[in-house]
Amino acid sequence: MNEDCIFCKIANGIIPSNTLFEDDDFRVIFDLGPATKGHALILPKKHFENIYKIDDDTAAKAFVLAKKMAAAMTKAFDSDGFNIIQNNGECAGQTVFHFHMHLIPRYKDDNAIEFWKAGQADDAELKELVKKVQENL
Ligand code: AMP
Ligand code: ZN
């Protein structure tokens, strides 16, 4: 646990929260500034800054938990869809540097989240990108 990290303190119960779910590895809480009704966060109890740092076991468990929470929250809130969002790095919108997954119930016509503008794929560039990624796997 990182003493200076707010999500470490919340995840480990040092700062109280409305907890939707807790087990040995995670706590699920409501986001302080919800995009929609029920917007929640999956917080691992161990401190990992982001996806580059999280261990494989916790990463795998996090997505299984996201699946379980999505099903329960969709039923509970009678939502029409669901976004799972996970930001890494300041330029990607990360503001709290303790790995977390956003669980965002969506409601018809809520217009709650703006997504990217679609660009144009270029086949030569894609071939180059495939090569570069494969060199780094
Ligand atoms: P991100 O921008 O992906 O790093 O997301 C950080 C999220 O944490 C934002 O949606 C904030 O509203 C939320 N947040 C920040 N502090 C707290 C807190 N003390 N309790 C609950 N949510 C928080
Ligand atoms: Zn932390």
Side-chain angles (χ1 to χ4, degrees):
M1 173 169 153
N2 179 338
E3 299 296 332
D4 301 323
C5 173
I6 179 101
F7 280 3
C8 275
K9 289 182 183 150
I10 296 172
N12 290 283
I14 292 157
I15 295 176
S17 61
N18 287 306
T19 296
L20 289 81
F21 174 87
E22 182 185 6
D23 65 9
D24 289 346
D25 301 306
F26 300 98
R27 185 184 297 271
V28 182
I29 62 161
F30 286 116
D31 194 291
L32 202 61
T36 65
K37 184 183 75 181
H39 179 173
L41 301 170
I42 293 181
L43 310 180
K45 292 187 173 180
K46 280 193 227 156
H47 182 85
F48 305 100
E49 191 177 334
N50 53 36
I51 197 150
Y52 305 115
K53 298 284 173 66
I54 195 168
D55 65 45
D56 285 356
D57 183 51
T58 310
K61 284 177 175 167
F63 208 77
V64 173
L65 177 55
K67 176 185 166 179
K68 179 185 172 117
M69 292 306 303
M73 291 165 68
T74 298
K75 258 189 171 174
F77 306 144
D78 197 25
S79 57
D80 303 303
F82 209 89
N83 289 118
I84 295 170
I85 297 177
Q86 201 278 307
N87 300 324
N88 301 282
E90 208 173 325
C91 77
Q94 187 176 10
T95 59
V96 180
F97 295 91
H98 173 122
F99 178 95
H100 53 278
M101 291 170 85
H102 293 264
L103 304 173
I104 308 180
R106 298 301 302 271
Y107 305 90
K108 194 173 179 306
D109 300 326
D110 65 23
N111 292 315
I113 299 175
E114 265 187 44
F115 287 101
W116 60 85
K117 288 198 196 89
Q120 188 80 49
D122 171 78
D123 197 50
E125 185 187 34
L126 295 184
K127 286 191 165 56
E128 195 54 37
L129 297 182
V130 166
K131 225 171 84 190
K132 284 188 175 167
V133 171
Q134 289 180 346
E135 282 164 11
N136 284 282
L137 283 172

